Amino acid sequence: MSENSPSRSDRRAALAAFCAADSKICPPERATELLEAIIRPGDRVTIEGDNQKQADLLAAALAQADPARLHGLHMVQSVLALPEHLAVFERGIANRLDFAFAGTQAASWPSWSRPGSSISALSTLISNSMRA
């Protein structure tokens, strides 16, 4: 959580507005709205790998978020495997990344890294090593 962010209980209360009464289940079609309600600019966000259906859904939902509402996110991921993992940077939703493996997605880094982001130097290093 970023500084000055709502407490965990405030975020849980926001979450409840997207679920049926006495339920913890949010309809998948409201996932983007839910993420916009509980994530704040500057938050650290972790999305699991590409082999879990819920991770795919959440990556797609986050990539569709409004950059005016969600921006400056610090993404922590084990792998960059889906186009949506890069879309959050292309759309200005996230600007910092910690990861372990990128695979074929690394080839498109020069198109979305921005000067000043903590990814720009990394993308230059990766793209240069791919040319070697």
Side-chain angles (χ1 to χ4, degrees), residues 14-35:
L15 169 75
F18 291 89
C19 302
D22 298 324
S23 174
K24 294 181 181 181
I25 298 173
C26 172
E29 62 273 6
R30 298 198 66 198
T32 298
E33 293 175 82
L34 170 69
L35 294 176

Side-chain angles (χ1 to χ4, degrees), residues 13-87:
L15 169 75
F18 291 89
C19 302
D22 298 324
S23 174
K24 294 181 181 181
I25 298 173
C26 172
E29 62 273 6
R30 298 198 66 198
T32 298
E33 293 175 82
L34 170 69
L35 294 176
E36 290 175 340
I38 62 172
I39 298 172
R40 299 294 182 263
D43 276 356
R44 186 178 319 136
V45 177
T46 300
I47 295 181
E48 292 298 322
D50 65 339
N51 60 349
Q52 299 174 6
K53 289 180 184 178
Q54 69 273 19
D56 293 354
L57 180 129
L58 292 173
L62 186 59
Q64 294 173 8
D66 179 356
R69 293 189 69 182
L70 290 183
H71 50 84
L73 299 183
H74 174 180
M75 303 303 296
V76 179
Q77 296 174 229
S78 59
V79 64
L80 294 178
L82 302 172
E84 291 85 356
H85 292 159
L86 302 182

Side-chain angles (χ1 to χ4, degrees), residues 1-19:
M1 284 188 257
S2 61
E3 287 186 37
N4 303 321
S5 66
S7 69
R8 181 174 288 207
S9 61
D10 292 338
R11 292 178 195 240
R12 284 184 185 218
L15 169 75
F18 291 89
C19 302

